[in-house]
Amino acid sequence: MNAMNTHYPEPVRVEAVNRHTLAVIVDNEPGVLARISGMFSGRGYNIESLTVSETEEARHLSRITIVTTGTNAVIEQIKAQLDRLVPVHRVVDLTLQGNAIEREICLVKVAGQGEHRSEALRLAAAFGAKSIDATLNSFVFELTGTTEEIDRFVRLMSVIGLVEICRTGIAAMGRGAQPL
């Protein structure tokens, strides 16, 4: 029996799972990305979005933006484990900093003729998508926006004649004058 002398089990505590965007500054060297993704997979964490590029050529540093989900305890554990990796210089949870700016680029190929073609152009204009390729029966649109905006655009285009999608993943930056 538990502490309250009852036969009922202790209530199960359910913690909320939240989405977090992490910015990680690392040395730009071979194998760093493999070590970071290996840390995630080895512990059973999921990466929802991953972008990486060299940001400081003179110092050979790259910035990795990782979007992941977990309870507060899991997110703290992820940040601590990332911080312990040797090529990692800094780990910042942009979600905790406040309203970070997040954008994603998407290429969307849509096929169609007649009214479907006209509707694709109207929707693209409404979303601010740019037509970067056009043939007699297809378009490739480029759209930059939040993940939610891109998801809405893709859902609407799937009704018209969506053929293919390519997404970059999220690039994020904190607001204000302070650097990472």
Side-chain angles (χ1 to χ4, degrees), residues 33 36-41 44-51 64-69:
L33 186 58
I36 289 175
S37 64
M39 187 278 298
F40 272 81
S41 67
Y45 305 141
N46 187 41
I47 296 174
E48 291 187 6
S49 174
L50 176 71
T51 58
I64 300 174
T65 305
I66 302 169
V67 177
T68 189
T69 57

Side-chain angles (χ1 to χ4, degrees), residues 12 38 58 60 69 89 117 121 133 139 173:
V12 177
H60 302 290
T69 57
H89 292 271
R117 187 173 172 79
L121 285 171
D133 183 59
F139 290 104
M173 184 174 285

Side-chain angles (χ1 to χ4, degrees), residues 1-174:
M1 288 196 287
N2 61 26
M4 294 177 45
N5 292 330
T6 177
H7 294 286
Y8 294 105
E10 292 288 332
V12 177
R13 197 174 101 174
V14 178
E15 289 188 56
V17 174
N18 300 311
R19 176 183 173 274
H20 282 255
T21 303
L22 307 176
V24 185
I25 303 297
V26 299
D27 288 333
N28 185 18
E29 60 186 36
V32 172
L33 186 58
R35 290 181 69 190
I36 289 175
S37 64
M39 187 278 298
F40 272 81
S41 67
R43 288 162 178 79
Y45 305 141
N46 187 41
I47 296 174
E48 291 187 6
S49 174
L50 176 71
T51 58
V52 61
S53 183
E54 185 174 58
T55 55
E56 296 183 45
E57 189 175 340
R59 295 176 50 203
H60 302 290
L61 295 178
S62 290
R63 180 179 177 135
I64 300 174
T65 305
I66 302 169
V67 177
T68 189
T69 57
T71 62
N72 290 339
V74 167
I75 298 297
E76 289 303 316
Q77 187 176 23
I78 288 171
K79 291 188 300 190
Q81 290 168 346
L82 282 171
D83 231 358
R84 282 196 290 269
L85 291 176
V86 172
V88 173
H89 292 271
R90 209 170 21 237
V91 178
V92 176
D93 189 341
L94 295 172
T95 304
L96 294 181
Q97 279 191 340
N99 294 328
I101 300 167
E102 294 185 0
R103 292 295 181 266
E104 188 175 355
I105 298 174
C106 181
L107 300 177
V108 178
K109 186 182 290 184
V110 179
Q113 295 178 343
E115 186 57 35
H116 288 287
R117 187 173 172 79
S118 310
E119 187 61 22
L121 285 171
R122 280 193 292 273
L123 282 172
F127 277 83
K130 184 169 56 169
S131 175
I132 57 173
D133 183 59
T135 66
L136 293 175
N137 56 7
S138 70
F139 290 104
V140 175
F141 296 109
E142 175 187 326
L143 178 63
T144 302
T146 64
T147 300
E148 293 78 20
E149 291 169 338
I150 290 175
D151 288 343
R152 277 194 347 252
F153 183 70
V154 167
R155 275 194 307 274
L156 291 170
M157 288 298 180
S158 65
V159 175
I160 294 172
L162 182 67
V163 175
E164 187 177 354
I165 305 167
C166 179
R167 295 173 79 151
T168 61
I170 293 172
M173 184 174 285

